[in-house]
Amino acid sequence: MTDSLTTSEIVLIRDSFDRVSVGLRFSRNYYARLFEIAPELRALFPADLSVQLRKLMDMLAALVQKLDRPHELVLALEALGAQHRDYGVAPAHFAPVGQALFETLAAELGPAFDDATRRAWIALYALCATWMQQSFPRERRA
Ligand code: HEM
């Protein structure tokens, strides 16, 4: 099970995240896209998403900062995963969430979201999904 990314993946993720991380437009567009793709997930979230918008950006920024410290990254993801277990998140939910994330990145970054950058984000998301599910009950694991 992998817990780290390559140096070039880390650079691509950091550079691209820098371009989208100012303000809350990214997370607003992300949730709008997520609930288009998977409307059934809307009920898991609070009616008012304003606090969530900031929390998502702060968490993404924290994870991106830890990319070159895999041990810290994994600890943060395990803690985040335990929270998500308690929200009732299931492994099947990671696919639509990933799709919404990648599509929002593509829309925000345009041509800067090139193949190498997309692959780097997919690698990071796979790592997040794996470590976040560590504390999920067995019947809820992928
Ligand atoms: C890389 C993957 C993910 C990241 C970085 C992430 C990030 C976060 C963060 C930072 C929070 C706020 C936690 C807090 O209040 O302290 C949160 C809450 C939440 N997330 Fe995620 N999440 C991810 C994946 C998912 C997935 C796959 C789902 C499935 C639908 C999901 C559903 C939720 C829900 C329902 C909440 C609780 C909202 C609330 O009641 O306030 N997340 N997430």
Side-chain angles (χ1 to χ4, degrees), residues 26-133:
F26 180 84
S27 45
R28 210 172 280 121
N29 290 343
Y30 158 80
Y31 281 111
R33 188 70 196 110
L34 178 62
F35 300 140
E36 273 171 21
I37 296 171
E40 69 280 7
L41 295 185
R42 184 63 186 89
L44 289 177
F45 291 87
D48 179 0
L49 279 176
S50 46
V51 175
Q52 194 66 24
L53 295 178
R54 172 47 59 206
K55 281 185 178 177
L56 177 67
M57 291 317 282
D58 289 350
M59 178 56 68
L60 288 175
L63 297 177
V64 167
Q65 279 220 331
K66 292 183 207 293
L67 290 180
D68 52 6
R69 282 170 276 139
H71 181 65
E72 284 181 41
L73 181 65
V74 163
L75 287 179
L77 289 173
E78 285 178 337
L80 190 62
Q83 278 180 295
H84 282 72
R85 172 199 63 211
D86 297 344
Y87 298 142
V89 169
H93 297 149
F94 280 85
V97 166
Q99 187 188 338
L101 180 67
F102 307 139
E103 289 184 10
T104 310
L105 285 165
E108 287 286 310
L109 292 166
F113 196 60
D114 57 19
D115 279 354
T117 307
R118 174 187 293 272
R119 280 198 301 271
W121 276 96
I122 289 173
L124 171 58
Y125 190 72
L127 196 150
C128 290
T130 299
W131 288 101
M132 284 176 69
Q133 288 175 46

